[in-house]
Amino acid sequence: MKKKILLIGGIGAGKTTLKQKLLNQSLVYLKTQAMDFSSIFIDCPGEYLEIPRHYHVLINAGIGAAEVWALHDATRRNCPYPPKFALAFRKPVIGIISKIDHPEANPKLAEDHLRKAGIAGRIYHVSAQEGIGIEELALHMSCLAGLSD
């Protein structure tokens, strides 16, 4: 099995919507009930991040990933990530701030939260609904070698 991209983030961060947009699927709201393994992504329920006793599931899923994408909803004021959480993964972790087109979005606060979570590298700003930042993220995705089944 080839490595995939692990999508993590709080409830409602837009992980599944982003995945659908990047795979050119119809945008349909789906509540992820369990880990979903697609051709490229491992999509995790937001509860796995928001309930600390489930952190080990995310960390274990990261073992089989080429890269971890940590999403943060730009409209969310609190942070679902514990400090330095990204350092638990022994692979690249990029940040993605979703819903930047929303009138109540605060991308600066979301970026601060991701930095405190230990993401030192690139942080993308996206809106799956409006298509903002999707092309750049798709290019990043296409540069990851060895993805898919």
Side-chain angles (χ1 to χ4, degrees), residues 81-124:
Y81 296 94
K84 306 294 183 192
F85 186 69
L87 302 179
F89 300 96
R90 300 255 184 235
K91 47 210 56 239
V93 180
I94 65 164
I96 300 172
I97 300 171
S98 61
K99 304 180 186 181
I100 62 163
D101 60 317
H102 193 281
E104 296 177 22
N106 186 342
K108 172 73 172 100
L109 178 62
E111 185 164 339
D112 289 346
H113 287 315
L114 289 173
R115 295 291 183 207
K116 287 176 186 170
I119 297 170
R122 183 68 193 267
I123 295 180
Y124 293 85

Side-chain angles (χ1 to χ4, degrees), residues 43-58:
D43 187 2
C44 296
E47 289 82 359
Y48 287 16
L49 180 64
E50 300 211 16
I51 301 172
R53 72 174 180 258
H54 296 303
Y55 290 168
H56 71 281
V57 177
L58 296 175

Side-chain angles (χ1 to χ4, degrees), residues 6-23 27 29-32 36 41-50 58 69-73 76 80-81 96 98-99 128:
L6 176 63
L7 296 173
I8 64 172
I11 298 166
K15 300 173 297 293
T16 302
T17 302
L18 178 64
K19 176 183 78 170
Q20 291 171 347
K21 186 71 171 182
L22 288 168
L23 296 177
L27 297 184
Y29 176 76
L30 296 170
K31 172 67 186 103
T32 305
D36 178 50
F41 295 102
I42 303 169
D43 187 2
C44 296
E47 289 82 359
Y48 287 16
L49 180 64
E50 300 211 16
L58 296 175
W69 290 8
L71 275 78
H72 194 296
D73 175 350
R76 185 172 179 160
Y81 296 94
I96 300 172
S98 61
K99 304 180 186 181

